[in-house]
Amino acid sequence: MAKETAQETGDVQQGDPARPWKVATAVLAVLAVAGIAVFSQQGQRTAQPAATATVTVTAAPGDPAAPADPTAAGQTTTSQGQQEALLSLPRRQEGDPMAKGRVDAPVVMTEWADYRCPFCSVFGEETLPKLQPLIDDGTLRVEFRDFAIFGDDSVNAAAAARAAGQQGLFWEFQLALYEALPNQGHPPVGDDLVMQIAQQVGVADMARFEADYRSEETRQAVRADSAEAQQLGVSSTPTFVVGGQVVSGAQPIEVFQQVIEQERAR
């Protein structure tokens, strides 16, 4: 299964949530019903992991986007309240350096990932670029959130990406870091690699980058996103909420395209 769980690698470092989540209970119910927390990943990781753990939340009964058989393909029917909770997750903040796509895009995909997760790397390197046409035409917005579950080096990586984002290079740094790390195991991410990638992607002010990277404020933001993910019931990486549907694991591009089209048609 092309994902990794927090349960098998230990708890994330805790932090105060970035903001209160009134929808947490409903979202947790959806994720629990979908079964996201019950999968574990064992054995050697490969550069092209099989993606088998699709979990989606279908449209409400009678919605033309709903499949004829709601139990097919790992799909789970949700209540109106649960769907509204999922649809309320996007932040839609203008100028968010960790987002790409129009603020008013009809479909928002929220991703929770750890840079040291090989399956997150596969998604970032191979699948996300293939979704760019949908971002460019205004259909899709992608909002990234940290779920740093593999220890201090995961926090390092996430803090570095955020520091690059302060200079408009979040996505460039993310991709370059994924490409630099092997898609197996949980490779280390130390200061030397962070500085190397920053220079590689063209960070203009390295002194500012290093200050932002080492800042406790930046690291607290990483921990807050991670704590929020746990509060919402996310327990594996990568996990996605696409509109009103949940997708777990580094699924093939066709899975994401299908779910995005269903959500666009709502």
Side-chain angles (χ1 to χ4, degrees), residues 224-263:
D225 259 10
S226 300
E228 183 178 270
Q230 283 192 317
Q231 185 180 28
L232 291 170
V234 178
S235 63
S236 64
T237 56
T239 291
F240 309 85
V241 170
V242 185
Q245 303 194 44
V246 177
V247 179
S248 179
Q251 301 297 324
I253 182 63
E254 293 80 11
V255 170
F256 289 98
Q257 290 171 331
Q258 179 182 10
V259 174
I260 290 166
E261 176 56 30
Q262 290 172 354
E263 292 301 300

Side-chain angles (χ1 to χ4, degrees), residues 139-172:
T139 298
L140 178 67
R141 176 177 173 84
V142 179
E143 297 186 356
F144 183 88
R145 301 190 193 180
D146 293 306
F147 191 25
I149 60 176
F150 300 123
D152 290 342
D153 276 14
S154 295
V155 176
N156 283 346
R162 285 172 178 263
Q166 292 300 310
Q167 299 188 49
L169 292 169
F170 174 83
W171 295 100
E172 290 82 355

Side-chain angles (χ1 to χ4, degrees), residues 1-250:
M1 300 171 190
K3 64 179 182 178
E4 295 194 296
T5 65
Q7 290 173 325
E8 98 189 354
T9 57
D11 292 336
V12 301
Q13 297 183 26
Q14 295 297 317
D16 293 329
R19 59 189 175 93
W21 282 88
K22 295 181 179 179
V23 301
T25 301
V27 175
L28 179 60
V30 173
L31 297 177
V33 170
I36 285 179
V38 303
F39 296 103
S40 64
Q41 176 65 35
Q42 299 179 354
Q44 185 70 22
R45 275 77 178 180
T46 62
Q48 284 269 336
T52 59
T54 306
V55 182
T56 62
V57 179
T58 67
D63 189 307
D69 179 7
T71 64
Q75 295 181 333
T76 306
T77 302
T78 62
S79 70
Q80 182 67 28
Q82 289 170 336
Q83 287 199 354
E84 290 176 356
L86 292 177
L87 291 169
S88 73
L89 282 171
R91 294 170 178 168
R92 293 186 183 271
Q93 295 173 349
E94 192 71 54
D96 182 353
M98 297 169 61
K100 59 167 63 181
R102 292 175 48 170
V103 174
D104 61 350
V107 182
V108 178
M109 178 170 72
T110 303
E111 174 191 3
W112 287 271
D114 184 308
Y115 291 94
R116 301 174 67 209
C117 159
F119 306 120
C120 301
S121 182
V122 168
F123 175 82
E125 292 180 62
E126 301 177 11
T127 307
L128 183 57
K130 295 176 183 177
L131 294 175
Q132 192 62 44
L134 293 173
I135 297 170
D136 292 341
D137 71 12
T139 298
L140 178 67
R141 176 177 173 84
V142 179
E143 297 186 356
F144 183 88
R145 301 190 193 180
D146 293 306
F147 191 25
I149 60 176
F150 300 123
D152 290 342
D153 276 14
S154 295
V155 176
N156 283 346
R162 285 172 178 263
Q166 292 300 310
Q167 299 188 49
L169 292 169
F170 174 83
W171 295 100
E172 290 82 355
F173 187 97
Q174 181 184 95
L175 178 58
L177 181 58
Y178 277 146
E179 290 175 341
L181 297 175
N183 288 350
Q184 58 184 6
H186 307 123
V189 179
D191 294 347
D192 290 346
L193 178 59
V194 161
M195 298 304 168
Q196 175 188 327
I197 298 297
Q199 292 177 333
Q200 176 184 327
V201 301
V203 169
D205 188 339
M206 286 298 295
R208 177 189 172 193
F209 170 83
E210 183 169 3
D212 288 338
Y213 162 62
R214 298 187 185 282
S215 164
E216 180 57 31
E217 180 181 357
T218 302
R219 289 162 187 268
Q220 179 58 26
V222 173
R223 297 184 186 104
D225 259 10
S226 300
E228 183 178 270
Q230 283 192 317
Q231 185 180 28
L232 291 170
V234 178
S235 63
S236 64
T237 56
T239 291
F240 309 85
V241 170
V242 185
Q245 303 194 44
V246 177
V247 179
S248 179

